[in-house]
Amino acid sequence: MERIREAFESALAARVPGHGVALERPKSGDLGDLAFPCFRVAKALGKSPVQLAAELASQITLEGADLLAAGPYLNLKLHPETRAKEVLGGLLASKPYGSGASNGQKIIVEYSSPNIAKLFTIGHLRSTMIGHSLVQVHRYLGFDVVRLNHLGDWGTQFGTLIAAYKRWAEAVNPELNRDFEWADPAPENRRTPLFRLFQLYVRFHAEEEKDPAMRDEARDWFRRLEKGDAEARRLWTWFREISLKEFLRIYDRLGVGFDTFVEGEAFYEDKLADTVKALEAKHLLQEGERGARIVDLEDVGISTPCMVVKADGGSVYATRDLATGIYRRDHYQYDKCIYVIGAEQILHMQQVFAVLKKLDPGWFTEGKVIHAPFGLISLPDGKMSTRKGNVIFLEDVLDEAVTRVLAIIEEKNPDLPRKAEVAEMLGIGAVIFFNALNDRVKPFTFTWDRVIALDGDTGPYVQYAHARICSVLRKAGAEWMAKAAPGLHDSKETATVPYAPWEVPTELKGLEAPEAQALLFELAGLPSAIRVAREQLMATAIARQLLVIARSFSSFYTNCPILIADNPPEVREARLALCVATARALRQGLFLLGIQAPEEM
RNA sequence: GCGCUCGUAGCUCAGCUGGAUAGAGCAUCAGGCUUCGAACCUGAGGGUCGGGAGUUCGAAUCUCUCCGGGCGCACCA
C-alpha cells in the first residue's frame, strides 16, 4: 500500500508542481483507497476543485487502479485483485503490520501509580490500561520505552496507617491475617492483609471526624517515619510489601508490567533538599503567604503560584514532582516523558512543568514532558471516595465480568475446553476494551451494565470474530490454523505478536465481493489507527478500527462462504488468506490494548 | 469569580490537523440458522451537532459570546 501511495503522490506532484499533495483515506472503501482533496491546490491555480479533479483523473494512470473524480475529490481506487494483494501482502509480511523500525528514541511512561495500602478501584484501571496501551503502541512503532510506576508510598497517610495499626491491630491481629471483629468480614475475593490494612485506614478516618486529636497521633507517626524511627520504618516497609504483592497479582491478571517499582514518592525524599537548592540557585523562590516559599508563574499565564516549601518547612506534592522531573532528566536522558495522571491534576502538572522549564529551559522544551490526563469516574450517587468506603473495586468488576461471561459460555458453548481461562480473557477483555473505546479525558459515571457490556461495540465482539476465524481455519486444516497461531510471547515484555512471515498466494480470485473488498479496506486502516493512537495518546482509534474490522469480517463471513465444496480451490485459498490476515490484525490490535484473543470461546 | 474540560439520535459514544449525504452500539420495530460458530447478520425509524454571532468557497470541527454539566484554584496527595 505504501508503494501505491508513493506512486500516486509523485504522479500528483508532477501534475501540480510546487503544491503539497496531502492524501486522505476516504470515508468508505466504495469511494476508493486514497483520496486527494483538490480544494487547496485548485484555489492556488484559480480553478474549481471539481474541474481540477476531473482533469487529473484523465491525466494520471496507475497500474492496478482507477482514478475517479468524485466532485472535488480525486480518488484512487485499486482493482479488487490489486487491493487484495496490497493489503494481504502488508499483513502477512515479515515486518509486523503497521509497525515501525527501531528509531532510537526513548519514551518514559509513568502510569498506574497506586497509593500503598489502598485497593485498586475502577479508577486505577484507567491510568493502568491507558498507560499500558501507550507503552505498547510506542514499542510497536519502534520507540524504546521505560515503564515507571510512581507508587504513592510516602506522605501523611502513612502516619494514619501506622496509628491505626497501633490502635486496633497490633495487639489482636499483628499479621493482619484474619478478619477484624469490628469490621464486616472481608469478601471472598479479598481476604488479604492489604484489605485489612485498608479497613484500618477507613476506620481511622471515620473516627477522626469525631475526635480531631487523632489527627495529631497520625501526624506524629509520620514525623517519626520521616526521622527514620526504626519502628515506623519497619511498619512502612511491611505495609509497602503487602501492598506491592497484591498490586503485582492484579498487574499479572491485566498483563501489565513495569520496569521498576522503586522510583515512587519515597524514592525522592532525600532529593527534595537539592531540588529546593536548585530553585534557590536560579532565584526562582519567593516568599508567599504565611511564609511559604513559592514559584510565581504569572509570567507564563498561570495565576496560581507553585508552592514548593510549606510555611513549616515541609515539602509538598509539587516538591516531589519537581525532584522527579530533575531525576528523570539526569538518569534517563529521555526524548519524551508522558505522565498518565487524572484530569483533576491538570493545573498541578502545568505548574510543575512550568517550574521545570524555568529551571532548565534548554532541556524542558515544548512537548518534552506531557500530561495525558484522564477523566474522573463517578458513581450514580456521586464521587468515589476511598476514605468513605464508597468505591467500586477493580477486582470486583473483573470478577463480575468473568462470572457473567461464564454464564454465557454455559449457555452457548458448555463443552468449551478451559472455560475458566477463556472467561478470564473475555471478561477482562470486555472491561479493558470499554475503557479503551472511550475518550481518555471524558469523565463517566460507572454502571455495571455499561462497563461489563458483552455484545455490540465490545471486546468480546472483536474476540468473537477472531474465534470464528480460528474455527474456520481449524476446519481448513492444521497448516491453515498454524498461520494464525502466534509464536510464544510474553504479554508484559513485547508489543508485537510474533507471526511467521508468509508469502501471499499469487492467485487471489474470490475476493471481488463487496464484503471482501470492504474488509480489505478496513484492514488497511489499522496502521493509521495505530499512528493516531500515538498522536492522541490514547488507544481509542485502535479500538474503533478493530470494531470496524470485526464487523466487516462478520459481514464477509455470512455472505462469502469459505469452505463449501463448490468453491474453486483458488477462491477457497484466497478467502482463507483473508481470514488469516484478519485474525492476525485482530489479535495484534487487541494485544496493543492489553487484551488477549482466545481461539475458541 | 478565574482557569481547564465537556455538551452530537431516547441512552452511551465516534467524527483525526476545517472538506464528500454527520456515523456506530444499546434500546425499539421488521426479517434471517437442514450449509464454515445466531456472543452473529440484513433492514427500518430516530439528529435545530446546547443557543447565538463571526471567519471561510466550505464549520460538528476554528474564534467570540451566552446557557448547562464535571474538575481545579498554594500549606492534602
Side-chain angles (χ1 to χ4, degrees):
Chain A
M1 198 58 97
E2 279 312 301
R3 230 182 23 165
I4 303 278
R5 169 184 280 268
E6 281 162 26
F8 188 28
E9 272 172 354
S10 58
L12 282 170
R15 297 285 160 184
V16 289
H19 295 93
V21 286
L23 297 183
E24 293 178 359
R25 188 176 140 81
K27 297 188 133 180
S28 131
D30 294 341
L31 292 164
D33 297 86
L34 294 166
F36 175 57
C38 297
F39 304 99
R40 202 155 301 170
V41 174
K43 191 175 187 181
L45 298 176
K47 292 182 181 178
S48 93
V50 177
Q51 187 196 348
L52 179 63
E55 278 176 26
L56 290 171
S58 65
Q59 288 168 351
I60 299 175
T61 51
L62 284 169
E63 202 185 336
D66 293 324
L67 284 139
L68 309 163
Y73 287 86
L74 175 65
N75 293 326
L76 176 144
K77 186 172 184 179
L78 294 171
H79 297 159
E81 267 188 65
T82 313
R83 189 186 257 184
K85 206 161 210 167
E86 287 297 321
V87 176
L88 294 188
L91 265 157
L92 303 171
S94 55
K95 173 177 163 287
Y97 190 50
S99 67
S102 176
N103 60 21
Q105 282 199 48
K106 187 187 278 188
I107 306 285
I108 293 184
V109 187
E110 173 196 310
Y111 58 109
S112 198
S113 310
N115 283 338
I116 295 296
K118 289 187 192 167
L119 278 70
F120 273 60
T121 68
I122 183 70
H124 290 99
L125 183 77
R126 299 210 90 185
S127 177
T128 305
M129 296 317 297
I130 289 166
H132 179 70
S133 61
L134 290 181
V135 167
Q136 294 298 75
V137 164
H138 278 93
R139 280 173 161 172
Y140 197 72
L141 291 174
F143 293 85
D144 179 16
V145 180
V146 179
R147 304 163 297 177
L148 298 181
N149 194 320
H150 195 73
L151 283 179
D153 56 3
W154 201 252
T156 43
Q157 77 263 29
F158 288 93
T160 308
L161 278 167
I162 295 171
Y165 175 82
K166 288 277 172 190
R167 268 178 178 247
W168 302 306
E170 189 168 49
V172 294
N173 189 8
E175 305 288 321
L176 298 174
N177 53 7
R178 11 175 246 283
D179 287 345
F180 293 113
E181 284 168 19
W182 44 265
D184 294 333
E188 205 54 48
N189 63 351
R190 304 197 280 274
R191 307 193 55 139
T192 60
L194 178 61
F195 183 68
R196 297 181 188 109
L197 202 53
F198 168 73
Q199 287 177 315
L200 287 170
Y201 181 80
V202 172
R203 179 174 177 187
F204 197 92
H205 275 292
E207 300 204 6
E208 182 191 64
E209 298 276 303
K210 289 168 263 169
D211 180 9
M214 287 170 66
R215 231 160 266 168
D216 296 329
E217 200 178 314
R219 261 195 283 265
D220 187 54
W221 272 110
F222 182 59
R223 243 189 310 274
R224 286 175 68 175
L225 180 61
E226 279 186 303
K227 276 193 286 184
D229 174 274
E231 174 66 357
R233 194 81 196 172
R234 180 184 70 80
L235 287 171
W236 175 80
T237 307
W238 181 53
F239 292 164
R240 197 175 180 281
E241 269 168 24
I242 60 180
S243 301
L244 208 49
K245 191 180 161 200
E246 278 299 292
F247 294 168
L248 284 171
R249 195 175 55 75
I250 292 176
Y251 290 137
D252 260 5
R253 218 179 155 186
L254 294 172
V256 171
F258 290 91
D259 292 303
T260 177
F261 289 93
V262 171
E263 295 168 20
E265 289 179 357
F267 178 78
Y268 294 101
E269 274 311 293
D270 61 4
K271 299 169 180 62
L272 301 182
D274 285 345
T275 302
V276 174
K277 274 184 204 151
L279 291 168
E280 281 168 346
K282 287 264 183 179
H283 307 291
L284 292 169
L285 288 176
Q286 296 177 13
E287 183 97 353
E289 289 167 19
R290 290 161 49 191
R293 308 182 74 189
I294 60 166
V295 179
D296 186 89
L297 299 171
E298 286 283 357
D299 59 325
V300 291
I302 301 173
S303 55
T304 311
C306 181
M307 188 176 64
V308 179
V309 184
K310 292 193 284 188
D312 66 3
S315 64
V316 284
Y317 186 31
T319 327
R320 279 192 264 280
D321 274 358
L322 291 170
T324 303
I326 293 165
Y327 174 83
R328 287 181 186 163
R329 176 196 65 188
D330 297 340
H331 191 259
Y332 289 108
Q333 291 288 311
Y334 54 82
D335 291 280
K336 194 189 276 187
C337 181
I338 302 168
Y339 294 71
V340 184
I341 297 179
E344 69 277 10
Q345 295 189 38
I346 286 176
L347 175 61
H348 166 77
M349 297 308 294
Q350 283 175 344
Q351 292 176 320
V352 169
F353 291 170
V355 175
L356 286 173
K357 195 168 182 176
K358 280 176 183 283
L359 201 56
D360 186 352
W363 175 262
F364 293 102
T365 50
E366 196 61 40
K368 193 80 171 179
V369 282
I370 297 175
H371 179 202
F374 56 89
L376 202 72
I377 302 180
S378 54
L379 297 177
D381 56 349
K383 207 170 161 177
M384 284 202 279
S385 163
T386 307
R387 284 186 185 189
K388 291 174 187 160
N390 66 327
V391 289
I392 302 288
F393 294 116
L394 176 57
E395 286 239 277
D396 289 347
V397 176
L398 300 182
D399 290 345
E400 175 65 20
V402 172
T403 302
R404 291 188 190 191
V405 169
L406 265 176
I408 295 172
I409 290 175
E410 290 301 342
E411 177 197 330
K412 311 217 179 207
N413 196 4
D415 300 328
L416 179 73
R418 304 204 310 270
K419 282 180 204 170
E421 198 183 314
V422 173
E424 178 87 1
M425 290 187 205
L426 296 175
I428 292 180
V431 176
I432 294 177
F433 194 89
F434 171 79
N435 182 64
L437 190 61
N438 292 301
D439 191 293
R440 179 162 52 69
V441 299
K442 289 192 182 178
F444 78 92
T445 304
F446 178 92
T447 60
W448 290 94
D449 288 341
R450 262 188 86 186
V451 175
I452 317 183
L454 298 173
D455 43 34
D457 279 355
T458 65
Y461 177 83
V462 178
Q463 290 165 313
Y464 181 63
H466 178 266
R468 275 167 124 190
I469 294 171
C470 291
S471 177
V472 172
L473 296 176
R474 267 193 303 275
K475 289 196 166 67
E479 73 277 14
W480 282 101
M481 186 59 214
K483 295 184 200 306
L488 283 178
H489 56 289
D490 182 342
S491 70
K492 295 205 271 288
E493 301 308 323
T494 179
T496 306
V497 178
Y499 285 112
W502 177 39
E503 278 300 307
V504 191
T506 45
E507 289 294 315
L508 282 167
K509 301 204 185 303
L511 301 178
E512 300 80 12
E515 293 85 0
Q517 290 293 309
L519 174 54
L520 287 164
F521 176 76
E522 298 305 348
L523 286 169
L526 188 58
S528 65
I530 296 171
R531 284 196 301 273
V532 168
R534 187 178 96 78
E535 285 162 16
Q536 299 185 337
L537 298 175
M538 59 180 173
T540 305
I542 296 173
R544 303 255 162 214
Q545 192 62 31
L546 291 176
L547 282 174
V548 172
I549 291 170
R551 207 174 296 134
S552 301
F553 173 77
S554 293
S555 181
F556 163 71
Y557 178 86
T558 43
N559 289 292
C560 303
I562 298 155
L563 298 176
I564 54 167
D566 43 348
N567 264 351
E570 68 269 19
V571 170
R572 176 186 153 104
E573 181 161 331
R575 291 184 177 173
L576 281 169
L578 180 54
C579 284
V580 170
T582 306
R584 290 185 177 194
L586 292 178
R587 195 199 284 260
Q588 175 64 65
L590 287 171
F591 190 57
L592 293 175
L593 308 181
I595 299 172
Q596 293 186 273
E599 285 158 20
E600 287 181 80
M601 61 188 267

